[in-house]
């Protein structure tokens, strides 16, 4: 049967279960919006590893995260005098949402395939709260430092 | 027709009536060489598949293949069972062996497409589904594979369209109802999903997956989660609407109103995060009590 459709393409090791189950990509919006682009992107990159995303997609997530973080730092320091509360908080949420949008687009299909193989997502609650508080604070410090340099 | 043949005809009728448990009981009564014939093995694997007893499906299919020789249907059932067991490469081998015998069987093509979809090989899966659709466009397996493929590609609109078409063509098919329910969940239409899964369970009470999905949508229909329905329905669009409202209020100089909206929005988000697992625990606890 000379038909490339009927050529085996599934290798035994390529689809072994992940070392740790991934998070639902849609849930990453919470730390991304509440904690900012740094928190959202860090969790999205960990999730990319768990979902075995291709290197190109992982780099795109990292790139979008960096752009979102740079945009937040620039807008907050240049237009809002380094204030992270009030409108500064909204800018942080929008930049987090931007980083999440790219991560979600690139991870959704891979996560759904994982689900179709019977995989279950793991809870994001602990890691999400830790990233929101810890990395949200780091992002705030970066803004303060950038404001000081200006 | 001999007595064993009549018994096997009854088994086939029971399977067509979606009564796999009774079909298995009836198969146990079949005597003579018919009990170890090709049709008996095929019926047994179909019944066990309907009951999601995948270990037994694999074992029965292997025994059948050893007894009656190469058989596309038994190899297809073996492939499906191996996929459910997570043995993806052996599943592919079994399905390719089946397709070597019956390259134009739409059900086998769809099984292979589903396997490719589940490992993220969506381009190949798409070509397999197209080939199956060219052979049998109205086959339920073709609709089901098309929906799963669109879902895995993240193309929710195509999945919704295919689910509507499937339900329009086969309004009482349990898979059509369940897939319609799954697509409704993705679109945040919880009530519609709950009704669809409820009807799927009514048409196929033996399927544990439909029952589980019906239970899950029942959780999401809980009164404590009612405020979250707009969030499920509109997703990130609601996030942007809230952020835009806060920006507009700030620009209009209404800082207090902006602060109130911000605090309410954060509380709403926190609720949407912690409430579903809380309600699930609550409902499960009540069921156990």
């Amino acid at each position: 049967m000379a038909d490339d459709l009927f050529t085996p393409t599934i290798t035994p090791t390529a689809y072994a279960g992940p070392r740790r189950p991934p998070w639902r990509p849609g849930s990453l919006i919470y730390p991304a919006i509440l904690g900012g682009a740094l928190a959202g992107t860090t969790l999205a990159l960990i999730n990319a590893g768990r979902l075995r995303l291709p290197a190109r997609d992982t780099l795109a997530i990292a790139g979008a995260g960096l752009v979102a973080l740079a945009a937040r730092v620039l807008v907050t320091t240049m237009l809002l005098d380094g204030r992270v509360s009030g409108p500064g908080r909204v800018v942080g949420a929008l930049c987090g949402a931007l980083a999440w949008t790219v991560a979600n687009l690139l991870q959704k299909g891979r996560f759904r395939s994982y689900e179709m193989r019977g995989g279950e997502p793991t809870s994001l609650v602990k890691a999400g709260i830790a990233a929101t508080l810890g990395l949200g604070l780091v992002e705030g410090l970066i803004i303060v430092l950038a404001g000081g340099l200006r | 027709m001999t007595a064993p043949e009549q018994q096997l005809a009854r088994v086939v009728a029971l399977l067509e009536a979606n009564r796999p448990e009774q079909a298995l009981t009836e198969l146990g009564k079949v005597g003579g060489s018919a009990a170890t014939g090709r049709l008996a093995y095929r019926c047994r694997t179909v019944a066990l598949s309907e009951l999601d007893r995948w270990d037994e499906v694999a074992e029965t299919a292997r025994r059948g293949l050893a007894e009656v020789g190469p058989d596309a249907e038994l190899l297809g059932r073996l492939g499906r069972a191996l996929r459910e067991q997570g043995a993806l490469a052996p599943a592919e081998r079994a399905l390719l062996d089946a397709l070597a015998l019956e390259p134009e069987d739409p059900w086998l093509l769809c099984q292979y497409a589903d396997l490719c979809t589940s490992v993220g090989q969506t381009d190949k899966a798409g070509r397999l589904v197209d080939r199956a659709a060219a052979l049998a466009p109205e086959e339920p397996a073709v609709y089901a594979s098309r929906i799963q493929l669109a879902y895995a590609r993240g193309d929710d609109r195509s999945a919704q369209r295919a689910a509507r078409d499937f339900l329009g063509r086969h309004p009482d098919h349990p898979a059509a109802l369940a897939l319609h329910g799954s697509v409704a969940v993705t679109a945040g239409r919880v009530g519609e999903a709950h009704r669809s899964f409820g009807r799927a369970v009514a048409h196929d009470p033996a399927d544990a997956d439909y029952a589980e999905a019906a239970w899950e949508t029942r959780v999401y229909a809980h009164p404590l989660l009612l405020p979250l329905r707009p969030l499920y329905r509109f997703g990130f669009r609601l996030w942007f609407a809230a952020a835009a409202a806060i920006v507009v209020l700030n620009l209009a100089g209404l800082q207090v109103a902006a602060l109130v909206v911000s605090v309410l929005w954060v509380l709403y988000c926190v609720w949407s995060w912690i409430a579903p697992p809380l309600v699930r625990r609550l409902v499960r606890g009540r069921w156990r009590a």
Side-chain angles (χ1 to χ4, degrees):
Chain A
M1 186 171 20
D3 192 333
D4 70 326
L5 265 187
F6 298 142
T7 306
T9 46
I10 299 173
T11 54
T13 50
Y15 302 101
R19 293 160 290 259
R20 296 190 69 179
W23 297 300
R24 196 180 290 281
S27 301
L28 296 176
I29 194 170
Y30 295 103
I33 291 223
L34 299 173
L38 188 60
T41 305
T42 305
L43 291 172
L45 287 173
I46 296 171
N47 213 33
R50 292 180 179 188
L51 287 167
R52 295 170 197 263
L53 228 58
R56 192 189 52 195
D57 292 353
T58 307
L59 281 174
I61 292 168
L66 279 175
V67 168
L69 181 63
R72 187 190 183 187
V73 172
L74 280 175
V75 171
T76 312
T77 52
M78 308 288 273
L79 303 178
L80 302 169
D81 294 326
R83 277 175 293 140
V84 289
S85 59
R89 180 72 240 134
V90 177
V91 170
L94 284 174
C95 291
L98 173 74
W100 169 81
T101 304
V102 174
N104 186 50
L105 271 175
L106 293 171
Q107 295 187 357
K108 192 163 71 168
R110 192 56 78 104
F111 176 75
R112 287 177 171 184
S113 290
Y114 167 77
E115 268 188 320
M116 288 169 78
R117 296 199 296 275
E120 293 274 344
T122 192
S123 169
L124 181 64
V125 174
K126 282 181 193 164
I129 290 173
T132 301
L133 297 176
L135 295 172
L137 195 68
V138 172
E139 193 167 313
L141 284 173
I142 291 172
I143 291 166
V144 169
L145 284 174
L149 288 174
R150 191 172 157 240
Chain B
M1 205 184 260
T2 62
E5 281 173 347
Q6 281 175 347
Q7 281 173 314
L8 282 176
R10 262 203 303 279
V11 170
V12 172
L14 283 166
L15 286 173
E16 281 169 359
N18 212 3
R19 288 154 80 178
E21 293 271 15
Q22 283 170 277
L24 283 175
T25 309
E26 198 66 30
L27 268 168
K29 296 176 192 166
V30 177
S33 60
T36 52
R38 193 176 295 267
L39 183 58
Y41 277 113
R42 284 180 174 179
C43 289
R44 202 167 283 127
T45 54
V46 171
L48 291 167
S49 299
E50 291 293 321
L51 295 165
D52 291 353
R53 286 157 57 176
W54 302 111
D55 291 348
E56 290 169 76
V57 174
E59 190 194 319
T60 307
R62 284 198 181 101
R63 202 155 9 101
L65 287 164
E67 192 89 36
V68 302
D71 182 275
E73 164 102 30
L74 290 178
L75 282 164
R77 295 282 163 194
L78 176 62
R80 175 72 203 277
L82 290 169
R83 185 183 128 206
E84 294 290 340
Q85 291 174 329
L88 303 177
E92 182 182 44
R93 190 67 267 156
L95 288 170
L96 286 175
D97 287 348
L99 282 163
L101 296 169
E102 298 279 351
E104 303 222 313
D105 183 318
W107 181 78
L108 285 174
L109 287 165
C110 288
Q111 286 301 312
Y112 191 30
D114 292 348
L115 178 67
C116 291
T117 301
S118 75
V119 295
Q121 294 179 5
T122 50
D123 291 341
K124 185 174 179 179
R127 287 161 61 208
L128 286 160
V129 175
D130 287 345
R131 188 174 287 196
L135 293 162
E138 305 299 336
E139 175 82 17
V142 173
Y143 281 109
S145 295
R146 214 183 270 295
I147 294 165
Q148 290 186 67
L149 177 61
Y151 178 74
R153 279 177 170 157
D155 185 357
D156 293 344
R157 282 195 183 163
S158 294
Q160 282 172 30
R161 202 169 39 244
R164 269 199 308 273
D165 291 347
F166 190 8
L167 200 59
R169 179 59 64 180
H170 302 279
D172 292 325
H173 198 290
L177 288 159
L179 284 167
H180 187 259
S182 300
V183 167
V185 166
T186 312
R189 299 192 302 266
V190 179
E192 190 181 326
H194 185 52
R195 283 191 296 278
S196 283
F197 284 124
R199 285 183 60 205
V201 171
H203 282 89
D204 187 0
D207 195 302
D209 291 339
Y210 299 163
E212 173 74 23
W215 183 84
E216 192 68 22
T217 49
R218 190 183 155 142
V219 167
Y220 278 88
H222 192 278
L224 284 174
L225 298 184
L226 275 180
L228 301 182
R229 287 205 181 181
L231 190 61
Y232 297 140
R233 183 80 182 85
F234 300 109
F236 67 90
R237 279 168 288 181
L238 203 63
W239 285 93
F240 286 112
I246 295 164
V247 169
V248 167
L249 287 170
N250 266 306
L251 289 175
L254 301 166
Q255 268 82 13
V256 177
L259 183 69
V260 170
V261 173
S262 303
V263 169
L264 286 175
W265 180 246
V266 168
L267 288 175
Y268 185 68
C269 293
V270 170
W271 184 243
S272 77
W273 198 2
I274 60 167
L278 198 77
V279 169
R280 194 174 290 122
R281 213 170 275 185
L282 204 77
V283 173
R284 192 168 284 153
R286 197 179 299 156
W287 277 31
R288 279 184 189 145

